[in-house]
Amino acid sequence: MGADMVPDIEVVHLGGNESFRAWSHGYPYKTVRWHRHPEYEIHLVTATTGKFFVGDYIGTFVPGNLVMIGPNLAHNWVSELPGIETVKQRCLVLQFPSALALNIIKIFPELRYLRRLLKESHSGLLFEPETGLLAQPLMQELTEAHGFRRVQLFLTLIELLSRDAGRKRLASSEYISEPDVFATSKIDLALRYISKNFSNELHEPDLAALTGQSVSAFSRAFHKHTGMTFVSYINHLRIKSSCELLTNGRLSITDICFKVGFNNVSNFNRQFLLQKGMSPSKFRAYDEIKISNYNKA
């Protein structure tokens, strides 16, 4: 693993009722790989020790390791565990798009000092252990918080990080996360557009035109940076959105099919089966069983 390896791209999908993503995962886990994404990330290790990689920086982490990653900066944390041991929660993660941070500063000029934190994070930032200790309960609560409390915790966390005068930049100034930065920015533009419009009819030539590329060049670049074809990527987002609708509300499966962007139910059922291994109706039935068992507990 290193600067000479092309990082995978992680698709960070925000639900319709959230402006940022707060979650946790164990180890091993699918995102534990050399990867990047256009969103900012705040990453706190809660268990295990090992090596972490940010750009061309290599360091050793322990619980309490708190790092902020800027857009498209490649990174990975690799735990050192004996044998086939697994950990239920290895880290807490918060991911938010650049537009969110910039809009907050635009709306609240009192927070313009946060620009420095955002700019420095493009090289990766390692915070003092004391900051990690204070951040952990905030990030833990964020994984379950809703409404105003969620926004309050987010702003409190960002404020905490901005006050850490001992934070350390990680990647060197010479490091370039991608040799084709310009092409990357074009694909990120397309990804942002798709994320906002995947429920509408989308055509690859239109997205190629949006990025100023030929269809063939766009198709190659898109597959390189997402690991999927244009159609597969859109279907992935539509099925992910349909899962949220199946578990949150009582829309019929037909209504959900058209709401997420499919133009016929048979194709929706086929794509859902390919991705989830079951039909939409069975997925909803399993979810209802889970809720029923939870309420009985």
Side-chain angles (χ1 to χ4, degrees):
M1 183 185 305
D4 58 329
M5 292 182 63
V6 177
D8 294 334
I9 188 166
E10 177 186 343
V11 178
V12 178
H13 178 64
L14 300 178
N17 60 346
E18 60 184 15
S19 57
F20 60 88
R21 186 183 185 206
W23 57 297
S24 67
H25 68 74
Y27 188 88
Y29 191 72
K30 60 185 179 181
T31 62
V32 180
R33 65 191 193 279
W34 185 236
H35 70 287
R36 66 173 185 86
H37 41 72
E39 294 78 13
Y40 288 91
E41 176 172 310
I42 299 171
H43 188 285
L44 175 66
V45 175
T46 58
T48 77
T49 62
K51 296 291 184 182
F52 72 109
F53 308 81
V54 177
D56 58 359
Y57 175 86
I58 302 176
T60 300
F61 71 82
V62 297
N65 172 267
L66 178 63
V67 171
M68 183 171 179
I69 305 290
N72 292 313
L73 180 61
H75 54 280
N76 193 18
W77 277 253
V78 180
S79 296
E80 297 171 348
L81 294 176
I84 58 173
E85 184 179 348
T86 61
V87 175
K88 185 175 181 180
Q89 186 191 85
R90 199 277 298 268
C91 58
L92 294 160
V93 181
L94 188 147
Q95 296 164 317
F96 60 95
S98 301
L100 173 63
L102 295 177
N103 285 335
I104 287 174
I105 294 171
K106 183 177 180 181
I107 296 170
F108 299 104
E110 296 89 343
L111 302 180
R112 59 185 178 274
Y113 63 89
L114 294 179
R115 290 185 185 276
R116 180 179 177 184
L117 176 72
L118 297 173
K119 183 177 180 181
E120 290 179 2
S121 72
H122 285 245
S123 297
L125 291 172
L126 174 64
F127 297 90
E128 295 281 9
E130 294 81 3
T131 304
L133 187 64
L134 293 170
Q136 183 163 343
L138 298 175
M139 295 183 69
Q140 189 67 59
E141 186 179 350
L142 264 169
T143 63
E144 301 291 337
H146 300 280
F148 178 76
R149 179 57 177 166
R150 193 169 188 266
V151 176
Q152 184 183 42
L153 288 166
F154 173 77
L155 292 175
T156 301
L157 178 63
I158 296 297
E159 171 70 11
L160 173 65
L161 270 54
S162 71
R163 292 202 310 263
D164 187 335
R167 60 183 184 257
K168 171 187 173 184
R169 295 195 191 196
L170 299 178
S172 68
S173 57
E174 294 79 19
Y175 177 77
I176 301 176
S177 60
E178 280 282 337
D180 53 342
V181 174
F182 185 59
T184 298
S185 66
K186 290 182 176 183
I187 294 301
D188 289 341
L189 173 64
L191 293 177
R192 288 194 297 271
Y193 183 87
I194 293 170
S195 178
K196 294 178 180 179
N197 298 280
F198 66 83
S199 60
N200 300 321
E201 190 171 351
L202 295 173
H203 302 283
E204 193 166 19
D206 295 333
L207 271 294
L210 176 68
T211 61
Q213 296 174 291
S214 68
V215 176
S216 58
F218 174 80
S219 181
R220 289 193 300 271
F222 192 91
H223 190 274
K224 174 183 177 183
H225 291 289
T226 66
M228 305 182 194
T229 65
F230 177 76
V231 172
S232 295
Y233 182 83
I234 292 172
N235 284 338
H236 169 80
L237 292 184
R238 288 173 174 171
I239 295 301
K240 188 176 182 71
S241 179
S242 73
C243 289
E244 294 176 3
L245 293 172
L246 285 165
T247 58
N248 298 315
R250 300 308 307 167
L251 284 177
S252 70
I253 290 174
T254 298
D255 288 341
I256 290 173
C257 162
F258 292 108
K259 187 176 181 63
V260 301
F262 288 99
N263 55 19
N264 65 77
V265 176
S266 61
N267 186 35
F268 172 57
N269 287 332
R270 182 168 56 252
Q271 293 299 327
F272 200 99
L273 180 62
L274 283 172
Q275 292 190 37
K276 298 300 178 182
M278 64 182 74
S279 67
S281 57
K282 182 172 287 188
F283 180 90
R284 171 171 272 173
Y286 276 136
D287 185 71
E288 290 172 346
I289 292 172
K290 286 190 296 182
I291 293 174
S292 176
N293 290 338
Y294 175 80
N295 290 334
K296 292 177 183 178

PDB file of all heavy atoms in Angstrom, residues 37-42 68-72 94-99 101-102 115 117-119 121-122:
ATOM      1  N   HIS A  37     -12.665   9.260  -1.166  1.00  0.00           N
ATOM      2  CA  HIS A  37     -14.018   9.708  -1.495  1.00  0.00           C
ATOM      3  C   HIS A  37     -14.019  11.231  -1.478  1.00  0.00           C
ATOM      4  O   HIS A  37     -13.165  11.859  -0.837  1.00  0.00           O
ATOM      5  CB  HIS A  37     -15.038   9.156  -0.491  1.00  0.00           C
ATOM      6  CG  HIS A  37     -14.572   9.179   0.930  1.00  0.00           C
ATOM      7  ND1 HIS A  37     -14.460  10.352   1.665  1.00  0.00           N
ATOM      8  CD2 HIS A  37     -14.158   8.185   1.750  1.00  0.00           C
ATOM      9  CE1 HIS A  37     -14.016  10.067   2.865  1.00  0.00           C
ATOM     10  NE2 HIS A  37     -13.812   8.767   2.952  1.00  0.00           N
ATOM     11  N   PRO A  38     -14.958  11.861  -2.189  1.00  0.00           N
ATOM     12  CA  PRO A  38     -14.967  13.327  -2.268  1.00  0.00           C
ATOM     13  C   PRO A  38     -15.430  14.015  -0.991  1.00  0.00           C
ATOM     14  O   PRO A  38     -15.335  15.235  -0.889  1.00  0.00           O
ATOM     15  CB  PRO A  38     -15.918  13.617  -3.432  1.00  0.00           C
ATOM     16  CG  PRO A  38     -16.770  12.409  -3.556  1.00  0.00           C
ATOM     17  CD  PRO A  38     -15.914  11.254  -3.131  1.00  0.00           C
ATOM     18  N   GLU A  39     -15.911  13.262  -0.019  1.00  0.00           N
ATOM     19  CA  GLU A  39     -16.371  13.847   1.236  1.00  0.00           C
ATOM     20  C   GLU A  39     -15.227  14.010   2.239  1.00  0.00           C
ATOM     21  O   GLU A  39     -14.240  13.276   2.206  1.00  0.00           O
ATOM     22  CB  GLU A  39     -17.456  12.967   1.873  1.00  0.00           C
ATOM     23  CG  GLU A  39     -18.747  12.896   1.092  1.00  0.00           C
ATOM     24  CD  GLU A  39     -18.688  11.978  -0.107  1.00  0.00           C
ATOM     25  OE1 GLU A  39     -17.712  11.189  -0.205  1.00  0.00           O
ATOM     26  OE2 GLU A  39     -19.601  12.036  -0.958  1.00  0.00           O
ATOM     27  N   TYR A  40     -15.373  14.971   3.155  1.00  0.00           N
ATOM     28  CA  TYR A  40     -14.490  15.045   4.316  1.00  0.00           C
ATOM     29  C   TYR A  40     -14.807  13.871   5.233  1.00  0.00           C
ATOM     30  O   TYR A  40     -15.948  13.386   5.266  1.00  0.00           O
ATOM     31  CB  TYR A  40     -14.718  16.340   5.094  1.00  0.00           C
ATOM     32  CG  TYR A  40     -14.198  17.593   4.417  1.00  0.00           C
ATOM     33  CD1 TYR A  40     -15.011  18.336   3.572  1.00  0.00           C
ATOM     34  CD2 TYR A  40     -12.899  18.038   4.644  1.00  0.00           C
ATOM     35  CE1 TYR A  40     -14.547  19.493   2.954  1.00  0.00           C
ATOM     36  CE2 TYR A  40     -12.418  19.202   4.034  1.00  0.00           C
ATOM     37  CZ  TYR A  40     -13.252  19.916   3.194  1.00  0.00           C
ATOM     38  OH  TYR A  40     -12.784  21.061   2.582  1.00  0.00           O
ATOM     39  N   GLU A  41     -13.809  13.416   5.989  1.00  0.00           N
ATOM     40  CA  GLU A  41     -14.048  12.328   6.941  1.00  0.00           C
ATOM     41  C   GLU A  41     -13.340  12.605   8.255  1.00  0.00           C
ATOM     42  O   GLU A  41     -12.193  13.065   8.273  1.00  0.00           O
ATOM     43  CB  GLU A  41     -13.552  10.987   6.376  1.00  0.00           C
ATOM     44  CG  GLU A  41     -13.686   9.829   7.367  1.00  0.00           C
ATOM     45  CD  GLU A  41     -13.365   8.477   6.738  1.00  0.00           C
ATOM     46  OE1 GLU A  41     -13.928   8.181   5.658  1.00  0.00           O
ATOM     47  OE2 GLU A  41     -12.551   7.730   7.309  1.00  0.00           O
ATOM     48  N   ILE A  42     -14.039  12.337   9.348  1.00  0.00           N
ATOM     49  CA  ILE A  42     -13.447  12.353  10.691  1.00  0.00           C
ATOM     50  C   ILE A  42     -13.479  10.916  11.178  1.00  0.00           C
ATOM     51  O   ILE A  42     -14.543  10.286  11.204  1.00  0.00           O
ATOM     52  CB  ILE A  42     -14.230  13.283  11.631  1.00  0.00           C
ATOM     53  CG1 ILE A  42     -14.204  14.716  11.091  1.00  0.00           C
ATOM     54  CG2 ILE A  42     -13.631  13.246  13.038  1.00  0.00           C
ATOM     55  CD1 ILE A  42     -15.138  15.668  11.824  1.00  0.00           C
ATOM     56  N   MET A  68      -8.631  13.629  10.681  1.00  0.00           N
ATOM     57  CA  MET A  68      -9.562  14.234   9.733  1.00  0.00           C
ATOM     58  C   MET A  68      -8.946  14.177   8.351  1.00  0.00           C
ATOM     59  O   MET A  68      -7.779  14.531   8.163  1.00  0.00           O
ATOM     60  CB  MET A  68      -9.864  15.691  10.109  1.00  0.00           C
ATOM     61  CG  MET A  68     -10.893  16.365   9.198  1.00  0.00           C
ATOM     62  SD  MET A  68     -11.397  17.988   9.837  1.00  0.00           S
ATOM     63  CE  MET A  68     -12.541  18.511   8.546  1.00  0.00           C
ATOM     64  N   ILE A  69      -9.736  13.708   7.380  1.00  0.00           N
ATOM     65  CA  ILE A  69      -9.277  13.492   6.012  1.00  0.00           C
ATOM     66  C   ILE A  69     -10.020  14.440   5.084  1.00  0.00           C
ATOM     67  O   ILE A  69     -11.240  14.535   5.128  1.00  0.00           O
ATOM     68  CB  ILE A  69      -9.559  12.031   5.563  1.00  0.00           C
ATOM     69  CG1 ILE A  69      -8.933  11.042   6.542  1.00  0.00           C
ATOM     70  CG2 ILE A  69      -9.074  11.803   4.141  1.00  0.00           C
ATOM     71  CD1 ILE A  69      -7.453  10.992   6.514  1.00  0.00           C
ATOM     72  N   GLY A  70      -9.292  15.153   4.212  1.00  0.00           N
ATOM     73  CA  GLY A  70      -9.907  16.027   3.234  1.00  0.00           C
ATOM     74  C   GLY A  70     -10.394  15.267   2.017  1.00  0.00           C
ATOM     75  O   GLY A  70     -10.130  14.061   1.862  1.00  0.00           O
ATOM     76  N   PRO A  71     -11.116  15.919   1.116  1.00  0.00           N
ATOM     77  CA  PRO A  71     -11.673  15.260  -0.068  1.00  0.00           C
ATOM     78  C   PRO A  71     -10.617  14.587  -0.937  1.00  0.00           C
ATOM     79  O   PRO A  71      -9.566  15.164  -1.221  1.00  0.00           O
ATOM     80  CB  PRO A  71     -12.343  16.418  -0.824  1.00  0.00           C
ATOM     81  CG  PRO A  71     -12.646  17.434   0.221  1.00  0.00           C
ATOM     82  CD  PRO A  71     -11.507  17.338   1.195  1.00  0.00           C
ATOM     83  N   ASN A  72     -10.903  13.349  -1.316  1.00  0.00           N
ATOM     84  CA  ASN A  72     -10.082  12.575  -2.254  1.00  0.00           C
ATOM     85  C   ASN A  72      -8.669  12.296  -1.779  1.00  0.00           C
ATOM     86  O   ASN A  72      -7.787  11.977  -2.579  1.00  0.00           O
ATOM     87  CB  ASN A  72     -10.050  13.260  -3.627  1.00  0.00           C
ATOM     88  CG  ASN A  72     -11.401  13.209  -4.304  1.00  0.00           C
ATOM     89  OD1 ASN A  72     -12.041  12.162  -4.348  1.00  0.00           O
ATOM     90  ND2 ASN A  72     -11.860  14.344  -4.816  1.00  0.00           N
ATOM     91  N   LEU A  94     -17.386   9.863  10.691  1.00  0.00           N
ATOM     92  CA  LEU A  94     -18.316  10.902  10.261  1.00  0.00           C
ATOM     93  C   LEU A  94     -17.859  11.413   8.906  1.00  0.00           C
ATOM     94  O   LEU A  94     -16.680  11.733   8.725  1.00  0.00           O
ATOM     95  CB  LEU A  94     -18.354  12.051  11.272  1.00  0.00           C
ATOM     96  CG  LEU A  94     -19.433  13.120  11.022  1.00  0.00           C
ATOM     97  CD1 LEU A  94     -19.939  13.675  12.345  1.00  0.00           C
ATOM     98  CD2 LEU A  94     -18.909  14.264  10.162  1.00  0.00           C
ATOM     99  N   GLN A  95     -18.763  11.453   7.938  1.00  0.00           N
ATOM    100  CA  GLN A  95     -18.435  11.894   6.580  1.00  0.00           C
ATOM    101  C   GLN A  95     -19.420  12.976   6.147  1.00  0.00           C
ATOM    102  O   GLN A  95     -20.623  12.826   6.348  1.00  0.00           O
ATOM    103  CB  GLN A  95     -18.491  10.703   5.610  1.00  0.00           C
ATOM    104  CG  GLN A  95     -17.450   9.629   5.922  1.00  0.00           C
ATOM    105  CD  GLN A  95     -17.742   8.311   5.227  1.00  0.00           C
ATOM    106  OE1 GLN A  95     -18.881   7.857   5.177  1.00  0.00           O
ATOM    107  NE2 GLN A  95     -16.705   7.677   4.695  1.00  0.00           N
ATOM    108  N   PHE A  96     -18.896  14.062   5.584  1.00  0.00           N
ATOM    109  CA  PHE A  96     -19.773  15.145   5.152  1.00  0.00           C
ATOM    110  C   PHE A  96     -19.241  15.786   3.874  1.00  0.00           C
ATOM    111  O   PHE A  96     -18.031  15.895   3.679  1.00  0.00           O
ATOM    112  CB  PHE A  96     -19.936  16.206   6.254  1.00  0.00           C
ATOM    113  CG  PHE A  96     -18.656  16.867   6.704  1.00  0.00           C
ATOM    114  CD1 PHE A  96     -18.246  18.077   6.161  1.00  0.00           C
ATOM    115  CD2 PHE A  96     -17.875  16.281   7.695  1.00  0.00           C
ATOM    116  CE1 PHE A  96     -17.082  18.696   6.590  1.00  0.00           C
ATOM    117  CE2 PHE A  96     -16.702  16.888   8.129  1.00  0.00           C
ATOM    118  CZ  PHE A  96     -16.311  18.102   7.570  1.00  0.00           C
ATOM    119  N   PRO A  97     -20.139  16.202   2.973  1.00  0.00           N
ATOM    120  CA  PRO A  97     -19.724  16.788   1.698  1.00  0.00           C
ATOM    121  C   PRO A  97     -19.156  18.192   1.870  1.00  0.00           C
ATOM    122  O   PRO A  97     -19.495  18.906   2.819  1.00  0.00           O
ATOM    123  CB  PRO A  97     -21.016  16.810   0.876  1.00  0.00           C
ATOM    124  CG  PRO A  97     -22.106  16.823   1.892  1.00  0.00           C
ATOM    125  CD  PRO A  97     -21.600  16.046   3.068  1.00  0.00           C
ATOM    126  N   SER A  98     -18.307  18.597   0.933  1.00  0.00           N
ATOM    127  CA  SER A  98     -17.700  19.927   0.968  1.00  0.00           C
ATOM    128  C   SER A  98     -18.756  21.010   0.993  1.00  0.00           C
ATOM    129  O   SER A  98     -18.619  22.027   1.684  1.00  0.00           O
ATOM    130  CB  SER A  98     -16.788  20.119  -0.254  1.00  0.00           C
ATOM    131  OG  SER A  98     -15.768  19.155  -0.294  1.00  0.00           O
ATOM    132  N   ALA A  99     -19.837  20.809   0.238  1.00  0.00           N
ATOM    133  CA  ALA A  99     -20.881  21.829   0.147  1.00  0.00           C
ATOM    134  C   ALA A  99     -21.487  22.135   1.509  1.00  0.00           C
ATOM    135  O   ALA A  99     -21.849  23.289   1.785  1.00  0.00           O
ATOM    136  CB  ALA A  99     -21.960  21.374  -0.827  1.00  0.00           C
ATOM    137  N   ALA A 101     -20.013  22.047   4.530  1.00  0.00           N
ATOM    138  CA  ALA A 101     -19.104  22.912   5.294  1.00  0.00           C
ATOM    139  C   ALA A 101     -19.096  24.328   4.749  1.00  0.00           C
ATOM    140  O   ALA A 101     -19.160  25.309   5.506  1.00  0.00           O
ATOM    141  CB  ALA A 101     -17.697  22.321   5.263  1.00  0.00           C
ATOM    142  N   LEU A 102     -19.036  24.455   3.432  1.00  0.00           N
ATOM    143  CA  LEU A 102     -18.979  25.783   2.821  1.00  0.00           C
ATOM    144  C   LEU A 102     -20.280  26.549   3.029  1.00  0.00           C
ATOM    145  O   LEU A 102     -20.274  27.762   3.254  1.00  0.00           O
ATOM    146  CB  LEU A 102     -18.659  25.650   1.335  1.00  0.00           C
ATOM    147  CG  LEU A 102     -17.279  25.069   1.009  1.00  0.00           C
ATOM    148  CD1 LEU A 102     -17.104  24.921  -0.498  1.00  0.00           C
ATOM    149  CD2 LEU A 102     -16.166  25.934   1.590  1.00  0.00           C
ATOM    150  N   ARG A 115     -12.517  27.581   8.000  1.00  0.00           N
ATOM    151  CA  ARG A 115     -11.868  27.396   6.701  1.00  0.00           C
ATOM    152  C   ARG A 115     -10.457  26.842   6.863  1.00  0.00           C
ATOM    153  O   ARG A 115      -9.998  26.034   6.058  1.00  0.00           O
ATOM    154  CB  ARG A 115     -11.819  28.719   5.927  1.00  0.00           C
ATOM    155  CG  ARG A 115     -13.169  29.205   5.423  1.00  0.00           C
ATOM    156  CD  ARG A 115     -13.001  30.443   4.564  1.00  0.00           C
ATOM    157  NE  ARG A 115     -14.285  31.006   4.171  1.00  0.00           N
ATOM    158  CZ  ARG A 115     -14.993  30.593   3.139  1.00  0.00           C
ATOM    159  NH1 ARG A 115     -14.548  29.598   2.386  1.00  0.00           N
ATOM    160  NH2 ARG A 115     -16.146  31.167   2.838  1.00  0.00           N
ATOM    161  N   LEU A 117      -9.267  24.881   9.230  1.00  0.00           N
ATOM    162  CA  LEU A 117      -9.334  23.450   9.537  1.00  0.00           C
ATOM    163  C   LEU A 117      -9.614  22.651   8.272  1.00  0.00           C
ATOM    164  O   LEU A 117      -8.962  21.626   8.016  1.00  0.00           O
ATOM    165  CB  LEU A 117     -10.428  23.194  10.570  1.00  0.00           C
ATOM    166  CG  LEU A 117     -10.692  21.723  10.936  1.00  0.00           C
ATOM    167  CD1 LEU A 117      -9.539  21.177  11.768  1.00  0.00           C
ATOM    168  CD2 LEU A 117     -12.005  21.599  11.701  1.00  0.00           C
ATOM    169  N   LEU A 118     -10.573  23.095   7.487  1.00  0.00           N
ATOM    170  CA  LEU A 118     -10.923  22.393   6.257  1.00  0.00           C
ATOM    171  C   LEU A 118      -9.748  22.349   5.288  1.00  0.00           C
ATOM    172  O   LEU A 118      -9.464  21.311   4.681  1.00  0.00           O
ATOM    173  CB  LEU A 118     -12.120  23.071   5.591  1.00  0.00           C
ATOM    174  CG  LEU A 118     -13.432  23.054   6.388  1.00  0.00           C
ATOM    175  CD1 LEU A 118     -14.481  23.912   5.690  1.00  0.00           C
ATOM    176  CD2 LEU A 118     -13.946  21.639   6.588  1.00  0.00           C
ATOM    177  N   LYS A 119      -9.052  23.471   5.150  1.00  0.00           N
ATOM    178  CA  LYS A 119      -7.911  23.534   4.233  1.00  0.00           C
ATOM    179  C   LYS A 119      -6.791  22.616   4.680  1.00  0.00           C
ATOM    180  O   LYS A 119      -6.213  21.867   3.879  1.00  0.00           O
ATOM    181  CB  LYS A 119      -7.413  24.972   4.129  1.00  0.00           C
ATOM    182  CG  LYS A 119      -6.266  25.143   3.142  1.00  0.00           C
ATOM    183  CD  LYS A 119      -5.852  26.607   3.022  1.00  0.00           C
ATOM    184  CE  LYS A 119      -4.704  26.760   2.022  1.00  0.00           C
ATOM    185  NZ  LYS A 119      -4.273  28.182   1.899  1.00  0.00           N
ATOM    186  N   SER A 121      -7.009  19.956   6.414  1.00  0.00           N
ATOM    187  CA  SER A 121      -7.383  18.544   6.353  1.00  0.00           C
ATOM    188  C   SER A 121      -7.125  17.930   4.987  1.00  0.00           C
ATOM    189  O   SER A 121      -7.129  16.704   4.849  1.00  0.00           O
ATOM    190  CB  SER A 121      -8.859  18.373   6.721  1.00  0.00           C
ATOM    191  OG  SER A 121      -9.709  18.857   5.691  1.00  0.00           O
ATOM    192  N   HIS A 122      -6.894  18.755   3.968  1.00  0.00           N
ATOM    193  CA  HIS A 122      -6.582  18.221   2.639  1.00  0.00           C
ATOM    194  C   HIS A 122      -5.261  17.433   2.658  1.00  0.00           C
ATOM    195  O   HIS A 122      -5.008  16.638   1.754  1.00  0.00           O
ATOM    196  CB  HIS A 122      -6.524  19.355   1.617  1.00  0.00           C
ATOM    197  CG  HIS A 122      -7.873  19.872   1.245  1.00  0.00           C
ATOM    198  ND1 HIS A 122      -8.400  19.767  -0.024  1.00  0.00           N
ATOM    199  CD2 HIS A 122      -8.839  20.468   1.991  1.00  0.00           C
ATOM    200  CE1 HIS A 122      -9.611  20.297  -0.048  1.00  0.00           C
ATOM    201  NE2 HIS A 122      -9.903  20.725   1.158  1.00  0.00           N
TER     202      HIS A 122
END
